């Protein structure tokens, strides 16, 4: 199974979760700032972000809007925040409108609890990607 992990992170919390997921799956986690569009096609894309004053960064919303539906079979979302899950809801809406399948489960970590949530983040991704 061809898996990608992409994220947008300003303060590093979402990045920490993405890196843990990447370590578990043996793939790279890449910031959408460094790679603004997918270079190849994937079966599964883990996509993460966070809210800043209630909305995700425009780079991430742009990334979702421009995501090529022929390059991803399914997206699984993850987010970190102080309380809001809004990033997940907004990304899900955009992706579904584009005809991209989005897994109903998503991973959430509170910004003050990132370290403790690392094992759960790893377990979460492993559930969707069988060991090969
Ligand atoms: C300027 C600013 C605004 C924020 N606004 C919200 C918000 O509206 N709702 C919320 O739940 N968290 C809010 N947060 C918390 C961030 O979403 C949280 O720290 C998140 O983990 C940041 O992700 P990152 O470290 O990957 O950038 C805000 C943080 C900052 C710095």
């Amino acid at each position: 199974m061809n898996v990608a992990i992409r994220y947008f992170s300003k303060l590093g919390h979402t990045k920490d979760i993405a890196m843990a997921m990447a370590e578990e799956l043996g793939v790279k986690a890449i910031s959408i700032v460094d790679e603004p569009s997918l270079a190849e096609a994937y079966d599964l894309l883990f996509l993460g972000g966070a809210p800043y004053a209630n909305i995700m960064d425009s780079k991430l919303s742009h990334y979702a809007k421009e995501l090529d539906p022929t390059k991803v079979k399914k997206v699984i979302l993850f987010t970190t925040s102080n309380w809001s899950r809004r990033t997940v809801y907004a990304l899900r809406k955009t992706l579904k409108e584009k005809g991209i399948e989005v897994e109903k489960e998503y991973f959430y970590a509170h910004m003050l609890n990132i370290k403790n949530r690392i094992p759960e983040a790893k377990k979460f991704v492993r559930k969707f990607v069988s060991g090969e």
Side-chain angles (χ1 to χ4, degrees), residues 7-16 48-55 79-87 108-112 114:
Y7 64 90
F8 178 86
S9 181
K10 275 188 191 175
L11 310 177
H13 303 135
T14 311
K15 181 179 179 181
D16 287 348
Y52 310 96
N54 236 354
I55 52 167
T79 187
T80 69
S81 74
N82 193 19
W83 70 86
S84 170
R85 317 271 170 129
R86 201 184 170 106
T87 307
Y108 175 78
H110 189 273
M111 62 181 199
L112 298 180
I114 301 297

Side-chain angles (χ1 to χ4, degrees), residues 10-11 17 19-20 23 28 35 44 50 59 61 63 71 73 76 85 90 100 102 106 109-110 122 124 126-127:
K10 275 188 191 175
L11 310 177
I17 294 292
M19 291 299 173
E23 188 182 74
K28 273 188 193 164
E35 193 198 271
L44 207 51
K59 287 184 210 70
S61 51
Y63 185 88
K71 285 203 172 148
K73 287 200 182 132
I76 302 182
R85 317 271 170 129
I100 296 172
V102 181
Y106 63 89
H110 189 273
K122 291 184 172 186
F124 179 80
R126 182 49 74 196
K127 196 165 64 171

